[in-house]
Structure formats: structure tokens, C-alpha cells
């Protein structure tokens, strides 16, 4: 237990000194701010267009659209802040850097448990992920308060949805982080980990995004939300979730996180470190 605590403290200290941690956070907040500024500018433009119109339906439609956009930026805060791709880069730089610097090899040579080393990296990064999401949702909340949430204001029901989405997005992002840590230990390379994770995040989102278009042909696409790294879109929903969606967004990230962690530890314990 003392060994695990020492490894954790060491990893937390090293992560705290990592410049990529702060750069990634700055980019997340910057992207969020840009989205809200764009929404504000769009709102001003649409309000001017609708105010000069006698078409009541256009005015109502404009206000409804702006309200939905405001809600989406808050309920889908981690997606809007691009947490997943930025965090994938942090994972690659941190864990891959540990292999490049020889730190992992030195710890193993001193007799440290490989399983504890793996779990320490995973726990440290998941802790950072929690901090990222907490900061992003607070920042989005402040901007939403300034911008406005819509005609009806921010109700208790809206608060419940935001809190629900925070934990569901955290679970979804932990799944992504677990897969990222697995690839870091499999490849033992910063560039390879970052390349694989970005290719997976962008590639899978593109492919499954296109497949969602099959809904127009009355083809059932519910299976997509059960696929790897596809739970975040459900976790960003601003509406009540169905039982099937809850299973997808709670069970599947847990399954993917568990499987990737077991595979990563198995490979790390089996292979020599050069």
C-alpha cells in the first residue's frame, strides 16, 4: 500500500510539472469561449433579422434555435471544449514521455510492481480528467449565465440534466482515457499514442456520423451508441434518456475501460522494457 501511495504521489507531482497539462486546459477554455462568442454574434445577427420581420413564426423559431444552442453548449460542455482529443495528447506526452525518459524502466528495475505502475498512471490521469471537466463545466456555466439559457430560464430540471451529464461525460471520458493509457503502454511511444488516439477519435466519429444518416432511410442506428468511443454524444443530450441510452452510456464505458485496462496490464507485465 505504501508503494502504491509513493508511486501515485510521484506521478501526481510529475504531472503537475507537465506543461501540456496547462496548455491543454487553456485550449479547452479558449475553444469554449470562442463558441460562446460565436453564439452571441449569431444571436445578435438573428435578432436583427427577426426584429425587422412581421413573421411571428420566424421570430419564435429564431429564439428557439438560440435557446437550444445555449443549452447544447452547457449540457455538452466537454464535447464543445474538445476535451477528448486534447486529453489524448496529454496522455501520449505524459505516459509516452515516461518510457522515453527511462523512468518506467528504472522503476521496474528497482522492483516496483508493474500493475501498480500502470494503475498509478491511470488513476493520476483520471484525476486530472475530473479536474478538467469540473473547470470546463463551471466555465461554461458562467458563460451561459452571461449569455442566457433561453426564454424559460434555468430551471431545477435543467440543473438535474447538467449534473447528470457531468457524471455521464466523466464516465465516457474515463473510458477514452483508459484506452489511451492502454495504447501508451502498448506502443511505449508519445507520437504513436497520440496518432492512434486522434485517428480513432476522428475516424470513428466520422464513420459512425455518416452511418447515423441511415436514419433517413428508416434504418435502426441505436447500435452505434454501443460502439467504442461513441457514448459521449448520448452523455451530452439535453433531454431525458431512454433505458437503452442509459445502458449504452453507463455500461459500455465501464466495459471498454475494464477491458482496455486488463489488456494493457497483461501486455505490460508480459513484455520486457528496453
Amino acid at each position: 500500500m505504501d508503494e502504491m501511495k509513493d508511486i501515485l504521489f510521484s506521478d501526481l507531482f510529475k504531472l503537475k510539472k507537465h506543461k501540456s497539462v496547462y496548455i491543454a486546459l487553456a485550449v479547452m477554455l479558449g475553444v469554449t469561449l470562442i463558441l460562446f462568442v460565436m453564439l452571441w454574434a449569431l444571436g445578435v445577427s438573428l435578432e436583427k433579422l427577426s426584429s425587422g420581420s412581421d413573421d411571428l413564426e420566424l421570430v419564435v423559431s429564431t429564439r428557439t434555435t438560440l435557446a437550444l444552442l445555449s443549452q447544447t453548449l452547457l449540457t455538452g460542455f466537454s464535447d464543445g471544449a474538445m476535451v477528448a482529443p486534447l486529453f489524448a495528447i496529454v496522455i501520449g506526452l505524459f505516459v509516452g514521455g515516461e518510457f522515453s525518459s527511462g523512468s518506467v524502466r528504472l522503476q521496474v528495475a528497482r522492483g516496483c510492481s508493474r500493475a501498480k505502475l500502470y494503475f498509478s498512471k491511470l488513476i493520476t490521469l483520471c484525476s486530472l480528467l475530473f479536474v478538467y471537466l469540473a473547470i470546463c463545466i463551471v466555465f461554461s456555466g458562467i458563460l451561459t449565465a452571461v449569455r442566457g439559457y433561453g426564454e424559460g430560464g434555468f430551471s431545477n430540471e435543467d440543473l438535474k440534466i447538467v449534473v447528470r451529464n457531468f457524471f455521464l461525460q466523466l464516465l465516457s471520458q474515463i473510458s477514452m482515457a483508459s484506452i489511451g493509457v492502454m495504447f501508451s503502454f502498448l506502443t511505449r511511444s508519445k507520437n504513436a499514442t497520440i496518432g492512434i488516439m486522434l485517428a480513432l477519435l476522428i475516424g470513428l466519429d466520422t464513420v459512425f456520423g455518416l452511418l447515423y444518416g441511415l436514419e433517413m432511410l428508416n434504418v435502426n442506428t441505436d447500435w452505434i451508441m454501443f460502439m467504442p468511443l461513441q457514448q459521449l454524444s448520448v452523455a451530452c443530450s439535453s433531454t431525458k434518456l431512454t433505458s437503452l441510452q442509459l445502458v449504452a452510456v453507463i455500461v459500455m464505458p465501464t466495459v471498454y475501460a475494464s477491458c482496455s485496462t486488463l489488456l494493457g496490464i497483461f501486455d505490460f507485465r508480459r513484455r520486457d522494457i528496453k
Side-chain angles (χ1 to χ4, degrees):
M1 192 65 183
D2 288 339
E3 182 188 19
M4 183 66 186
K5 191 187 296 184
D6 291 340
I7 298 171
L8 264 174
F9 281 144
S10 175
D11 281 337
L12 286 169
F13 178 77
K14 285 184 282 190
L15 189 64
K16 219 167 89 173
K17 297 290 184 181
H18 231 275
K19 290 182 181 178
S20 63
V21 170
Y22 305 98
I23 294 173
L25 178 59
V27 174
M28 290 174 195
L29 298 181
V31 170
T32 301
L33 181 59
I34 289 170
L35 288 175
F36 273 91
V37 170
M38 288 174 63
L39 176 62
W40 175 81
L42 178 63
V44 171
S45 300
L46 290 177
E47 285 288 352
K48 285 181 179 178
L49 288 173
S50 61
S51 62
S53 173
D54 295 328
D55 189 344
L56 182 61
E57 187 177 339
L58 174 63
V59 175
V60 173
S61 175
T62 299
R63 289 177 178 173
T64 302
T65 300
L66 291 174
L68 287 173
L69 287 172
S70 294
Q71 293 169 16
T72 300
L73 288 178
L74 180 58
T75 58
F77 69 96
S78 71
D79 194 23
M82 297 176 62
V83 171
L86 290 168
F87 196 68
I89 294 173
V90 173
I91 292 171
L93 293 174
F94 177 62
V95 182
E98 289 284 281
F99 280 101
S100 300
S101 66
S103 176
V104 174
R105 180 175 56 187
L106 182 61
Q107 286 177 297
V108 170
R110 288 176 175 173
C112 289
S113 165
R114 294 196 182 205
K116 289 178 180 178
L117 284 173
Y118 191 100
F119 275 116
S120 176
K121 298 286 186 294
L122 182 59
I123 293 170
T124 300
L125 287 166
C126 286
S127 300
L128 175 63
L129 183 58
F130 179 86
V131 173
Y132 275 165
L133 294 188
I135 293 174
C136 285
I137 197 171
V138 169
F139 189 60
S140 294
I142 293 171
L143 293 176
T144 299
V146 174
R147 169 64 185 80
Y149 194 70
E151 293 266 329
F154 191 75
S155 65
N156 288 332
E157 195 60 35
D158 293 321
L159 177 61
K160 290 177 183 177
I161 289 174
V162 170
V163 172
R164 177 202 72 186
N165 282 17
F166 175 81
F167 289 104
L168 291 181
Q169 287 175 52
L170 175 62
L171 186 58
S172 178
Q173 299 285 14
I174 285 175
S175 172
M176 179 276 300
S178 300
I179 294 172
V181 172
M182 176 193 72
F183 278 117
S184 292
F185 276 84
L186 289 177
T187 64
R188 303 178 182 187
S189 164
K190 290 186 285 189
N191 295 335
T193 300
I194 294 171
I196 290 172
M197 286 304 297
L198 291 181
L200 279 176
L201 289 168
I202 297 171
L204 291 178
D205 280 352
T206 301
V207 171
F208 289 124
L210 292 173
L211 289 174
Y212 269 121
L214 295 174
E215 286 183 343
M216 294 186 294
L217 302 175
N218 294 322
V219 176
N220 191 311
T221 57
D222 287 344
W223 58 273
I224 293 177
M225 61 185 171
F226 290 87
M227 296 295 102
L229 304 175
Q230 297 307 301
Q231 289 73 52
L232 186 60
S233 59
V234 180
C236 291
S237 175
S238 58
T239 59
K240 185 176 180 180
L241 300 179
T242 65
S243 299
L244 191 64
Q245 286 176 321
L246 285 172
V247 170
V249 82
I250 294 174
V251 176
M252 297 317 298
T254 305
V255 170
Y256 290 127
S258 301
C259 291
S260 58
T261 300
L262 289 173
L263 179 59
I265 291 175
F266 174 78
D267 179 80
F268 184 43
R269 295 180 69 174
R270 185 177 58 87
R271 289 168 57 194
D272 291 331
I273 303 176
K274 298 179 181 180

